[in-house]
Amino acid sequence: MSAFSSGSTAGEPGFAEGFVSDFAVEALDWQGRPLRCQDCPHEDIKAEGRCDLGKACVLDRRRKRIDRFFANNAALAARYLDHPYFEVRALAARHASVFLITPLKDDAEPDVRMVCAERLPIARIRDMRFDPEPRVRIAVAQRLEGSDLVALMSDVDYTVRMAAARRAPADALVYLMHDPEVDVRRIVAARLAQVPLARMADDADPLVRVVVAEHLDPERLVALRGDPDMRVRFVVAERISPAFLAPLTHDDVPPIAEVARERLAAG
């Protein structure tokens, strides 16, 4: 890992400080040295308004300024795919021809590899399912389909499994019904077919059961009518078939009983 691998730069303001404050920050290169237009190989394009020190500069250490440069000069991006500063490589990879960025799949920096995962043809990124960085694997999961997602459904990082669960075929989601992470199971519950979804009615976490209650057919909600969690019962009271609603009119939680009574009264 290189010394410039940090995803942020010392002294860089947050997003909330806005676009204008970016122009007030001193122009420094990625090694902290002051920048001068006289030292820039692109001084000739400044007169055309395609670069501006402190605003749009490929030599600056600030991501916004580098991105503005490439936005104005996409044809120059290919020259910077091997730049020593990872932010320059990552932003150059976003603007350069997709035919030139395959070698960056093996870049030392995850931010650069993520760009490859987002831009390269799917056939070129299948092997990136095993990238050491979870963010890269998430980017891959967001593009793959079908059986290509199987390996990511058993990923050691739950955020990767979440990304895979959002795109996996519905019939493959049964393999994630008992995932140890609640957030993964909630995604699964929102996408499962009715029969396997009914089996999640006894999930250990009430937040998962709430999602189950939101997606089960009204006739199947009887299994959750006596759920110990009031949030689950409230959703059931709102959705269950009226034929099975009566017991909820006597629920210990007044809002639940009220919803049930109102629905029965409305016929």
Side-chain angles (χ1 to χ4, degrees):
M1 189 71 71
S2 58
F4 49 85
S5 62
S6 172
S8 61
T9 303
E12 184 169 335
F15 177 80
E17 294 181 59
F19 182 85
V20 176
S21 65
D22 181 50
F23 294 160
V25 179
E26 184 180 7
L28 303 173
D29 72 9
W30 66 276
Q31 293 179 311
R33 298 172 300 198
L35 289 171
R36 302 188 313 161
C37 288
Q38 298 93 312
D39 302 325
C40 178
H42 303 301
E43 187 178 8
D44 58 321
I45 69 174
K46 183 175 182 180
E48 302 173 19
R50 292 192 286 138
C51 68
D52 193 355
L53 186 67
K55 297 181 181 179
C57 179
V58 71
L59 299 182
D60 204 291
R61 68 180 181 178
R62 294 172 62 80
R63 181 181 180 89
K64 290 180 181 178
R65 296 173 180 178
I66 300 168
D67 196 33
R68 290 181 199 124
F69 177 88
F70 285 130
N72 295 333
N73 304 280
L76 297 175
R79 300 188 192 182
Y80 290 93
L81 294 176
D82 60 352
H83 193 276
Y85 184 33
F86 82 99
E87 290 280 27
V88 173
R89 296 197 306 279
L91 291 167
R94 288 200 180 279
H95 292 273
S97 167
V98 72
F99 298 106
L100 299 176
I101 67 174
T102 297
L104 295 178
K105 286 172 54 178
D106 299 316
D107 194 275
E109 291 296 331
D111 286 26
V112 180
R113 301 197 304 274
M114 283 177 63
V115 177
C116 293
E118 293 167 358
R119 293 197 64 207
L120 285 171
I122 290 177
R124 295 285 184 90
I125 67 170
R126 287 192 177 97
D127 59 333
M128 298 183 77
R129 290 174 296 177
F130 308 104
D131 190 278
E133 170 60 43
R135 291 180 298 147
V136 175
R137 301 198 300 276
I138 289 173
V140 173
Q142 289 171 341
R143 295 192 61 206
L144 295 182
E145 297 178 350
S147 60
D148 287 335
L149 287 163
V150 172
L152 295 170
M153 290 172 64
S154 58
D155 196 276
V156 295
D157 190 290
Y158 84 96
T159 60
V160 178
R161 299 198 303 276
M162 287 173 62
R166 291 189 178 101
R167 290 185 59 81
D171 57 359
L173 291 174
V174 292
Y175 298 107
L176 290 173
M177 286 173 54
H178 303 292
D179 192 276
E181 289 292 333
V182 170
D183 288 341
V184 175
R185 301 200 306 277
R186 292 182 69 191
I187 294 171
V188 171
R191 298 192 59 225
L192 267 181
Q194 288 293 306
V195 172
L197 179 59
R199 299 204 298 270
M200 295 189 73
D202 60 355
D203 191 277
D205 194 284
L207 293 180
V208 176
R209 299 197 304 275
V210 166
V211 179
V212 174
E214 290 171 342
H215 288 83
L216 267 180
D217 287 341
E219 294 75 15
R220 296 177 182 267
L221 285 173
V222 176
L224 287 166
R225 190 172 55 184
D227 194 277
D229 192 282
M230 61 176 288
R231 292 168 294 183
V232 178
R233 297 198 311 278
F234 189 87
V235 175
V236 172
E238 290 183 315
R239 298 192 62 247
I240 196 169
S241 175
F244 308 110
L245 189 57
L248 287 168
T249 61
H250 306 293
D251 196 277
D252 293 337
V253 178
I256 295 175
E258 182 178 354
V259 167
R261 288 193 294 267
E262 288 177 353
R263 288 191 61 208
L264 279 180

